[in-house]
Amino acid sequence: MQDASDILLTALKTVNYPGYSRDIVSFGLVRAAELKDGKASVVIALTSADESVPTKIKSEVEKTLSLLDGVKEVAVFVDATKPQAKPEAGQPARPEALKNVKAILAVASGKGGVGKSTVAVNLACAFAQLFEKAGRPGVSVGLLDCDIYGPSVPLMMGVSGQPEIVDTLIEPLQSHNVKIMSLGFLVDENSPVLWRGAMVNKAVQQFLTQVNWGALEVLIIDLPPGTGDAQITLSQTVPLTGAVIVTTPQQAASDVALRGARLFEKVNVPVLGVIENMSYLEDTSGKRDLIFGEGGGAQTAHSLNTEFLGQIPLESALRQAGDDGKPIVLGAPQSTSAQVFLEVAEHLLHLLARAQK
Ligand code: ADP
């Protein structure tokens, strides 16, 4: 007996690519097809310069699947990209929406759960504070959350809601003096990972080309862990000024972090440094317990021939601040981790300025 997705695939084989006698399945365009509780969900990915192609395929798929027995509803997502013009040298040109953004900094990690988003939100707030102290008030820092698997920036920055569209551009939301855009504002947290995975390319491109970022000193991009589609789309869509890698102290984590970082090297993005998180737990007497081992951050930095920017301790106040929507650099600026974040942010501003030249 055929299982549900085979039934969908068999039907999809009768849908031809517009203008061709070949079908969309044999062209390899169907990324996913799922039938659950009468709802058929199909994800199609294609590259075409002809804007009518995605619409034609979508309506043909909807028509075909709605005729099947047991299908009550059809949802089709077409992830359409235009063919990329080859950049002249290394990095792509800056999209119009980012033309007044001075520096773009990616925050990346090899593994999930190492504190990448925690670092991204605290760096954003620390930058905002430093600019204000330097006599440059106003919102000059942006934070773009591209982590599809766990968009935690809205929670950590204490912001929620639906961004508005004004004159064809998406208005970022704002919190703690930072402009914020997140997949979390747009994607229902209960939607299947399959859907979110398929949407990431499109979303990353849209966030970089159709969000009204305005004039910013720095835009921080919180990437999903690893070396997937988001990293590749990002490096093909915008010229990144640099990347920072977040890792934990143990060897296994730093090996994965290295693999993630190599991707940036390949696309000529300078890795500005490595931040080690969860480095130690300090008790009230000042004694440090190296819960996750030691050396991972320094080793990763050494292997990448880049700077070791700092060590963030394990602190319950840091986790609490994230859950409360007020990053620790604002909520408890005297804490050890806040102090480290502020130092690292100051140092990174110099590194970014140098990389911009
Ligand atoms: P990632 O973005 O790498 O998946 P997060 O930044 O979302 O990781 O962190 C995962 C969880 O760990 C969050 O609840 C966060 O508050 C907590 N956390 C991160 N770093 C620390 C730390 N140094 N001390 C205590 N909790 C931390």
Side-chain angles (χ1 to χ4, degrees):
M1 210 185 94
Q2 278 189 313
D3 78 8
S5 66
D6 287 339
I7 294 170
L8 295 184
L9 281 178
T10 307
L12 290 171
K13 281 184 190 156
T14 66
V15 177
N16 284 348
Y17 193 94
Y20 285 74
S21 57
R22 202 166 150 193
D23 69 274
I24 57 170
V25 177
S26 72
F27 258 130
L29 306 186
V30 179
R31 284 268 185 101
E34 197 176 74
L35 180 60
K36 213 168 155 194
D37 303 328
K39 179 172 176 179
S41 305
V42 177
V43 178
I44 287 163
L46 60 91
T47 304
S48 172
D50 180 349
E51 284 173 7
S52 70
V53 167
T55 324
K56 283 183 189 154
I57 293 185
K58 186 169 190 274
S59 70
E60 198 56 31
V61 168
E62 280 166 351
K63 205 163 76 189
T64 307
L65 297 187
S66 59
L67 297 174
L68 292 178
D69 276 349
V71 172
K72 292 196 281 276
E73 201 186 328
V74 181
V76 183
F77 175 72
V78 183
D79 182 6
T81 38
K82 292 220 168 116
Q84 287 267 334
K86 274 250 176 298
E88 288 296 313
Q91 293 219 48
R94 190 171 286 251
E96 192 64 16
L98 296 173
K99 72 174 191 305
N100 293 321
V101 175
K102 287 193 190 155
I104 306 175
L105 175 69
V107 179
S109 71
K111 291 204 313 168
V114 298
K116 177 182 45 60
S117 297
T118 303
V119 169
V121 297
N122 278 287
L123 284 182
C125 293
F127 284 154
Q129 231 174 43
L130 290 169
F131 290 131
E132 200 167 330
K133 266 199 204 140
R136 277 179 284 173
V139 186
S140 51
V141 179
L143 176 57
L144 170 56
D145 176 13
C146 290
D147 193 343
I148 41 161
Y149 302 105
S152 37
V153 165
L155 171 79
M156 290 180 175
M157 291 294 280
V159 63
S160 62
Q162 280 270 329
E164 281 180 23
I165 295 180
V166 180
D167 292 339
T168 74
L169 284 182
I170 309 172
E171 279 298 315
L173 298 184
Q174 209 168 298
S175 175
H176 305 309
N177 236 0
V178 175
K179 288 185 184 173
I180 303 164
M181 192 61 217
S182 168
L183 277 169
F185 298 146
L186 306 178
V187 180
D188 175 0
E189 55 187 71
N190 297 317
S191 69
V193 167
L194 173 148
W195 275 86
R196 290 192 261 158
M199 281 161 77
V200 73
N201 277 334
K202 191 120 205 113
V204 169
Q205 265 177 1
Q206 209 170 40
F207 287 167
L208 296 167
T209 56
Q210 288 166 33
V211 170
N212 186 18
W213 289 110
L216 296 179
E217 293 290 328
V218 187
L219 173 66
I220 296 179
I221 303 185
D222 182 4
L223 284 169
T227 52
D229 284 357
Q231 283 77 353
I232 294 163
T233 308
L234 178 69
S235 60
Q236 288 174 342
T237 314
V238 288
L240 290 170
T241 315
V244 285
I245 309 295
V246 182
T247 188
T248 47
Q250 70 268 49
Q251 180 72 45
S254 47
D255 288 346
V256 188
L258 259 186
R259 277 204 296 278
R262 297 269 184 236
L263 183 99
F264 291 108
E265 289 184 336
K266 268 195 209 131
V267 290
N268 296 325
V269 173
V271 177
L272 301 179
V274 173
I275 298 174
E276 186 183 83
N277 187 27
M278 310 188 184
S279 299
Y280 56 87
L281 181 70
E282 195 166 88
D283 69 15
T284 43
S285 71
K287 191 171 152 284
R288 291 182 176 187
D289 187 350
L290 305 174
I291 294 188
F292 294 123
E294 64 180 320
Q299 210 171 45
T300 309
H302 179 71
S303 307
L304 290 168
N305 202 12
T306 187
E307 293 197 39
F308 185 31
L309 296 169
Q311 290 179 296
I312 317 287
L314 269 164
E315 280 190 317
S316 59
L318 180 50
R319 201 252 327 128
Q320 189 64 52
D323 290 350
D324 292 347
K326 191 168 186 191
I328 200 158
V329 293
L330 304 174
Q334 295 314 319
S335 63
T336 310
S337 34
Q339 294 291 317
V340 180
F341 280 129
L342 285 162
E343 273 165 33
V344 171
E346 203 161 357
H347 188 47
L348 269 174
L349 285 185
H350 292 295
L351 295 176
L352 282 169
R354 208 161 63 191
Q356 274 167 268
K357 288 191 183 124

